[in-house]
């Protein structure tokens, strides 16, 4: 030890061991549940299950690196970060990034928050169900944010559906002046089975003045007529087929191809208009995989879902469960899906 030169010891953020495994989290247990579903007669996969194994995580990275995804979700946060700083007034900020994936969007947001120099105390908690993606997110965040003083990055392997169990993320002393910002970026909010039920339950441990930021795809029509929606939404035109050799097909059908027992099966993937949604003005697009095998009846799996929203109506629905819409920014490039960033405050 005496032979080690002091200057050879790295003190940068990337060298700090800073990862938690959330209470009760079991990756193998989640994988067992996924395998049981894909070998059943059909059904619906919870979206988080698509990211569990390393091959699924790799397929996700290939998908998000594609031009279409980057055009849709490769957004800037400058105006939204300015709105957040105005609300927090320089107080220390805890950013809880739910379903962070590769962490690129969350790190971009944090960079905009600390770049002006007005905020010198920020803790970024990256939470994801996928260990490979969480590792990528933490490495990227630690390397990118190391140049900013007062920024601490922590990786949390866990399931955001179980957020109320994670007391260390939720605890804040009564006398504390810190603020908390929960994020769901990359369309995660629109993947939830029931958005209002999730927010009212999972975020019940957050306090008055805490913030919630999500990005959503806006509806292509405000009509509730299914025929009108099918004509208006690009994903549903022409039967909604998804090319079998596309990055999307590789990602959505991966668990079916890897974990189904028995002879090889043919898998066809397409978009469908889903069931009625709980938020007025919204509608759901399902990614549906039909599995065909000789001598067996076809099996149908909903492997993904995403929703489109009318932001004003979403704001009123969130107001009804105690979250006020404070900031709405329309984002996205011309010709891409219409996107919005929405910032809410707990009343």
């Amino acid at each position: 030890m005496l032979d080690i030169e002091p200057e050879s010891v790295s003190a940068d953020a990337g060298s700090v061991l800073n990862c938690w495994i959330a209470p009760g989290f079991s990756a193998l247990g989640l994988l067992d549940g996924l395998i049981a579903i894909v070998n059943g007669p059909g059904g619906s996969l919870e979206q988080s299950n698509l990211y569990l194994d390393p091959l699924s995580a790799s397929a996700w990275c290939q998908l998000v690196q594609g031009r279409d995804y980057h055009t849709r979700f490769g957004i800037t946060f400058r105006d939204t970060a300015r709105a957040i700083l105005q609300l927090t007034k320089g107080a220390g900020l805890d950013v809880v990034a739910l379903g962070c994936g590769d962490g690129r969007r969350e790190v971009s947001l944090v960079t905009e928050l600390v770049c002006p120099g007005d905020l010198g105390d920020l803790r970024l908690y990256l939470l994801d169900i996928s260990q490979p993606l969480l590792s990528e997110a933490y490495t990227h965040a630690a390397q990118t944010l190391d140049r900013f003083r007062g920024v601490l990055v922590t990786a949390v392997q866990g399931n955001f559906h179980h957020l109320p169990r994670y007391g260390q993320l939720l605890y804040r002393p009564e006398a504390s002046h810190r603020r908390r910002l929960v994020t769901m970026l990359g369309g995660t909010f629109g993947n939830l089975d029931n958005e209002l039920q999730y927010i009212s339950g999972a975020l019940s441990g957050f306090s008055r003045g805490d913030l919630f930021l999500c990005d959503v795809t806006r509806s292509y029509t405000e009509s509730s007529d299914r025929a009108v929606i099918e004509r208006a939404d690009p994903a549903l035109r022409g039967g909604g087929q998804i090319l079998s050799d596309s990055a999307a097909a590789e990602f959505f059908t991966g668990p079916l191809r890897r974990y189904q027992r028995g002879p090889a099966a043919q898998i066809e993937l397409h978009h469908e208009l889903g069931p009625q949604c709980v938020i007025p003005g919204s509608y759901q697009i399902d990614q549906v995989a039909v599995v065909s095998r000789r001598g067996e009846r076809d099996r149908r799996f909903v492997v993904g879902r995403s929703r489109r929203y009318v932001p004003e109506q979403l704001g009123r629905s969130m107001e009804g469960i105690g979250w006020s819409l404070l900031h709405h920014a329309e984002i996205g490039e011309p010709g891409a899906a219409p996107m919005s960033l929405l910032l809410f405050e707990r009343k």
Side-chain angles (χ1 to χ4, degrees), residues 250-269:
E250 175 71 18
F251 171 66
F252 284 112
T253 65
L256 294 172
R257 289 183 284 103
R258 284 191 289 276
Y259 300 120
Q260 286 199 46
R261 305 183 184 99
Q266 179 180 347
I267 303 175
E268 178 267 332
L269 185 67

Side-chain angles (χ1 to χ4, degrees), residues 59-74 247:
W60 171 250
C61 290
Q62 292 296 318
L63 178 62
V64 301
Q65 289 168 9
R67 184 182 182 281
D68 290 344
Y69 189 93
H70 181 75
T71 299
R72 185 175 179 187
F73 289 107

Side-chain angles (χ1 to χ4, degrees), residues 73-84 104-113 183 185-186 213-215 327 331 341:
F73 289 107
I75 54 182
T76 59
F77 295 94
R78 186 164 301 163
D79 292 341
T80 300
R82 191 177 296 119
I84 292 168
R104 263 55 179 180
R105 291 168 298 278
E106 291 78 7
V107 171
S108 294
L109 170 64
V110 169
T111 301
E112 293 290 352
L113 288 170
T183 67
L185 301 176
L213 177 69
C214 64
D215 53 17
H327 174 78
I331 53 179
L341 270 172

Side-chain angles (χ1 to χ4, degrees), residues 1 44 85 87 100 112 122 181 199-200 211 275 283 311 322 335:
M1 291 177 66
S44 179
L85 292 172
L87 287 166
C100 64
E112 293 290 352
L122 186 145
L181 168 67
I199 296 298
S200 59
L211 304 171
Y283 60 90

Side-chain angles (χ1 to χ4, degrees), residues 214-292:
C214 64
D215 53 17
V216 301
T217 304
R218 296 195 300 278
S219 298
Y220 286 88
T221 174
E222 295 190 27
S223 173
S224 59
D225 186 283
R226 294 180 69 87
V228 173
I229 295 172
E230 289 174 346
R231 288 195 299 270
D233 197 294
L236 299 172
R237 295 173 189 161
Q241 295 300 312
I242 301 174
L243 296 177
S244 59
D245 60 349
S246 65
E250 175 71 18
F251 171 66
F252 284 112
T253 65
L256 294 172
R257 289 183 284 103
R258 284 191 289 276
Y259 300 120
Q260 286 199 46
R261 305 183 184 99
Q266 179 180 347
I267 303 175
E268 178 267 332
L269 185 67
H270 64 274
H271 295 293
E272 282 185 12
L273 183 59
Q276 186 173 2
C277 301
V278 298
I279 296 176
S282 66
Y283 60 90
Q284 176 173 309
I285 305 293
D286 288 337
Q287 288 78 48
V288 178
V290 178
V291 180
S292 304

Side-chain angles (χ1 to χ4, degrees), residues 39-58:
N39 285 286
S44 179
L45 302 184
E46 208 291 314
Q47 189 105 355
S48 301
N49 289 333
L50 295 174
Y51 311 90
L52 289 177
D53 67 24
L55 289 176
S56 292
S58 177

Side-chain angles (χ1 to χ4, degrees), residues 10-146:
S10 174
D12 64 81
S15 69
V16 177
L17 297 177
N18 213 3
C19 182
W20 302 346
I21 297 179
F25 180 80
S26 171
L28 290 180
L30 290 167
L31 188 58
D32 287 343
L34 171 63
I35 292 172
I37 293 174
V38 301
N39 285 286
S44 179
L45 302 184
E46 208 291 314
Q47 189 105 355
S48 301
N49 289 333
L50 295 174
Y51 311 90
L52 289 177
D53 67 24
L55 289 176
S56 292
S58 177
W60 171 250
C61 290
Q62 292 296 318
L63 178 62
V64 301
Q65 289 168 9
R67 184 182 182 281
D68 290 344
Y69 189 93
H70 181 75
T71 299
R72 185 175 179 187
F73 289 107
I75 54 182
T76 59
F77 295 94
R78 186 164 301 163
D79 292 341
T80 300
R82 191 177 296 119
I84 292 168
L85 292 172
Q86 289 175 351
L87 287 166
T88 56
K89 297 180 173 61
L93 185 64
D94 293 343
V95 179
V96 182
L98 302 181
C100 64
D102 62 8
R104 263 55 179 180
R105 291 168 298 278
E106 291 78 7
V107 171
S108 294
L109 170 64
V110 169
T111 301
E112 293 290 352
L113 288 170
V114 296
C115 259
D118 300 328
L119 180 60
D121 180 9
L122 186 145
R123 303 170 186 161
L124 172 60
Y125 298 95
L126 298 164
L127 189 151
D128 205 273
I129 201 169
S130 167
Q131 189 279 327
L133 288 177
L134 185 63
S135 177
E136 287 294 309
Y138 178 76
T139 300
H140 174 67
Q143 293 175 346
T144 305
L145 301 174
D146 180 52

